[in-house]
Amino acid sequence: MRTDSSPGSLPAREHLPAAAAGPPVLDVVIPVYNEEKDLRRCVLRLHEHLTRTFPYAFRVTVADNASVDATPHVAARLAAELPEVRSVRLEQKGRGRALRTVWSASDAPVLAYMDVDLSTDLNALLPLVAPLISGHSDLAIGSRLARSSRVVRGAKREFISRTYNLILRGSLQARFSDAQCGFKAIRRDVAQVLLPLVEDTGWFFDTEMLVLAERAGCRIHEVPVDWVDDPDSTVHIVKTATEDLKGVWRVGKALATGSLPLDRLARPFGDDPRDRDLTDVPQGLARQLVGFCVVGALSTLFYLLLYSRFRLFTGSQVANALALLVSAVANTAANRRLTFGVRGRGGAVRHQAQGLVVFGIGLALTSGSLAALNAASADPDHSTELAVLIAANLAATVLRFLLFRAWVFPDAPPAAPAPGPWPTGAGSAGAGFPDPYRAWSDATVRLQPVRSAGPDATGPATEPATDPRSAR
C-alpha cells in the first residue's frame, strides 16, 4: 500500500454555490477501451440528458484506456462537435488509472463516472450528485443491491456480485452495499486527499477507494438504481474476481498492520455535529450504554464465578457479599476507564469510594432477594439461587448505571477528536486550531442566486440568469 503523504486533511463539507461563470460543477468521466461501436451513442444520450435535466454547468470526459480501434477518433469527433465534451487519451490500460488521471486534473468540484454501456438509468444521476453539491456527503454510489433497486441480470452475475459484497462485509467490515456498480461520484476536495492513498489501477480501484473513505469517516450516500445487464459486456468475470480478491487481501493486510496513514484523513474539528458542545443534550449516551453493558456482562460472569467458588466453603450471604465486593471494585475500575473515559489516578480513590456506596445498594438488593428466597424455601437449589441473583443483579445494574452517570462520573471528559493536521488561516481559533463552530455559523448554506453582468459592469450585477448552463 502507498504510505506517501496525502495533500492534507479532509475539508469541511459546504454547499457548492451556483455560478454563471467558471468551471463546470460536474465532470462525468466515461472510461473506455475499444468501444468504437457504443461510444457515440452513449455520449450523445448522456449529453442530451444532462442538457435537459441538470441545473448546473457540466462536462463529459471520455477517458480512452489505450484503445487499439477507432475509439480515440470517435472521442475526438465528439469533442469537436459538443463544447461540453472533451477526450483524454491514456497509453496504458486500467479503469482505475483513467479515473485517477482525469479526476486529479479536473477543475470541477464534483467528479463522477459511469460505464459506457449506460446500464444504469440516467434518472439516478441527479440524485447521485445532489448530496455532494449540497455538502451532505463526500461520496455517492449507485447500488443494485438496495431493496428499492430494480435490476435485470443473469443469475451468475447476481451471485458473483452478492458474494463479493458479502466478502467485503466479512473481511473489511464494509458497510456500503454495492462496490462494483459503475456509477459513482466524489467531491473533488475529497478526491485530492483520498486518491494518493489508492493503489489499484484496475477494477478494484472503486472498492479500495470506498473502503479507505469509509475508514476515514467519510459519508457515503447510496442511490437505488434501475440497472439492466449488458449482454455484450467485455468484462472478464473470472480474471476481475481474482484481481478483486487479491485487492481485498492487500487492503485488509494494510489495515491490520496499520500501514495506511488514515489519521491524515481526519475531518476538521467541528465538521461533525458530535463535536458540538450543546447544553441539555446528553453526550455519548449510546457509547456509554454499550460500554457499560459490556463491562456489566463481564462483571456478572466474574461475580457468578466468584460466588460459586466462595459458596464451596461458606454460606450464601457471605459468599454473595465477598463476590459482590471483589467484582464491584473491578467493575468500577473498568467503567471508569472504558465507559466514562476517565484517565489517570486523579479522583480514583473517590470514585472507588462512591462505587462502594453503589455496591452497598446492589448488596442490599441481592441480599434481600436471597433472604426472601430463604424465607420461602428452607433449602433452595443452587440453580434457583443463581436465577434469583441474576434477576436482582439486573435491577441493580440499571440503578448502578444511573448512579455512575449522574453521581460518580458526572463530569467525564468527552472523547478527544482524532489527531490530524489542522488547517490554519483566518478561521483558526488560535494556535493553528480551527474554530469548532465556524462550520456551523449557518446550519443550512443556501444556493447563491446566479447573476449575470454586462460587458461593462464593474460590480456584481443584479439581474438573475435565466439558465445556469448559459455559461457553457
Side-chain angles (χ1 to χ4, degrees):
M1 293 296 298
R2 299 173 183 234
T3 57
D4 53 319
S5 298
S6 61
S9 63
L10 290 170
R13 290 187 293 261
E14 295 181 355
H15 200 307
L16 300 176
V25 170
L26 174 65
D27 192 349
V28 183
V29 182
I30 304 177
V32 293
Y33 174 73
N34 291 346
E35 297 286 355
E36 59 180 0
K37 295 181 179 179
D38 298 327
L39 179 58
R40 183 175 182 83
R41 174 183 57 84
C42 164
V43 172
L44 291 178
R45 180 182 166 194
L46 174 60
H47 180 272
E48 186 277 333
H49 177 84
L50 288 171
T51 302
R52 179 170 48 86
T53 66
F54 195 66
Y56 292 88
F58 67 86
R59 178 193 298 134
V60 177
T61 302
V62 179
D64 176 37
N65 297 30
S67 295
V68 295
D69 63 357
T71 296
H73 302 291
V74 176
R77 286 197 298 269
L78 287 167
E81 296 173 12
L82 302 171
E84 295 87 3
V85 177
R86 68 169 181 168
S87 64
V88 176
R89 167 75 176 182
L90 285 80
E91 299 301 331
Q92 292 179 290
K93 294 178 61 176
R95 182 180 68 168
R97 178 180 287 109
L99 293 176
R100 184 203 308 277
T101 301
V102 177
W103 281 356
S104 298
S106 180
D107 56 353
V110 176
L111 311 169
Y113 95 88
M114 61 181 59
D115 293 334
V116 69
D117 56 16
L118 295 185
S119 296
T120 303
D121 182 32
L122 292 179
N123 286 327
L125 182 56
L126 185 55
L128 182 80
V129 301
L132 309 187
I133 294 174
S134 69
H136 175 270
S137 301
D138 301 292
L139 298 90
I141 64 174
S143 175
R144 300 162 297 182
L145 303 181
R147 289 188 176 183
S148 57
S149 298
R150 295 176 291 190
V151 177
V152 178
R153 62 175 167 179
K156 180 180 180 181
R157 286 180 176 269
E158 180 78 10
F159 174 78
I160 293 176
S161 178
R162 292 189 177 274
T163 301
Y164 179 66
N165 283 282
L166 284 175
I167 292 174
L168 292 181
R169 288 176 176 269
S171 60
L172 301 180
Q173 287 78 52
R175 290 176 292 177
F176 47 87
S177 65
D178 191 351
Q180 295 175 309
C181 183
F183 195 70
K184 296 182 175 69
I186 185 172
R187 288 177 64 104
R188 178 169 60 93
D189 48 14
V190 176
Q192 289 175 342
V193 180
L194 194 61
L195 291 184
L197 299 179
V198 180
E199 181 176 335
D200 192 80
T201 58
W203 291 97
F204 188 69
F205 174 88
D206 304 51
T207 302
E208 186 171 357
M209 178 182 68
L210 290 173
V211 170
L212 297 185
E214 193 171 69
R215 291 300 183 98
C218 294
R219 175 179 284 157
I220 301 175
H221 179 73
E222 296 197 19
V223 178
V225 297
D226 295 347
W227 194 87
V228 179
D229 190 12
D230 179 14
D232 299 324
S233 175
T234 59
V235 178
H236 195 288
I237 297 179
V238 176
K239 181 180 179 180
T240 301
T242 302
E243 293 300 321
D244 285 347
L245 292 177
K246 291 180 180 179
V248 170
W249 171 260
R250 173 176 55 80
V251 173
K253 182 179 178 181
L255 292 173
T257 57
S259 61
L260 277 170
L262 293 180
D263 58 323
R264 297 177 187 163
L265 304 179
R267 278 276 177 204
F269 184 74
D271 186 63
D272 192 320
R274 291 169 295 185
D275 297 336
R276 302 166 70 185
D277 186 14
L278 301 177
T279 59
D280 301 325
V281 177
Q283 297 294 313
L285 177 60
R287 183 188 60 80
Q288 290 178 357
L289 277 173
V290 172
F292 184 82
C293 289
V294 172
V295 172
L298 296 177
S299 298
T300 300
L301 293 176
F302 184 50
Y303 160 78
L304 293 175
L305 177 63
L306 290 175
Y307 177 81
S308 298
R309 295 295 183 183
F310 291 146
R311 190 66 175 86
L312 295 176
F313 54 83
T314 188
S316 60
Q317 293 287 5
V318 176
N320 173 63
L322 291 174
L324 197 56
L325 176 62
V326 176
S327 62
V329 172
N331 181 278
T332 301
N335 276 309
R336 181 177 187 269
R337 174 67 184 270
L338 302 178
T339 303
F340 297 96
V342 180
R343 303 290 191 271
R345 298 180 179 179
V349 176
R350 176 174 59 85
H351 292 154
Q352 283 292 347
Q354 291 173 312
L356 289 178
V357 174
V358 178
F359 149 75
I361 297 175
L363 177 62
L365 285 174
T366 53
S367 297
S369 300
L370 282 177
L373 176 64
N374 291 328
S377 176
D379 187 20
D381 294 335
H382 182 62
S383 58
T384 305
E385 286 184 349
L386 290 179
V388 170
L389 288 174
I390 290 174
N393 266 282
L394 288 176
T397 297
V398 175
L399 183 59
R400 186 183 308 126
F401 176 76
L402 297 176
L403 291 174
F404 272 175
R405 183 175 172 83
W407 180 49
V408 183
F409 307 108
D411 300 320
W422 301 104
T424 59
S428 300
F433 287 88
D435 183 353
Y437 305 105
R438 179 179 58 82
W440 300 98
S441 58
D442 184 5
T444 303
V445 183
R446 298 180 179 178
L447 280 173
Q448 299 299 319
V450 179
R451 301 182 183 274
S452 60
D456 300 326
T458 58
T462 59
E463 291 298 322
T466 57
D467 186 356
R469 294 190 296 271
S470 61
R472 291 191 234 120

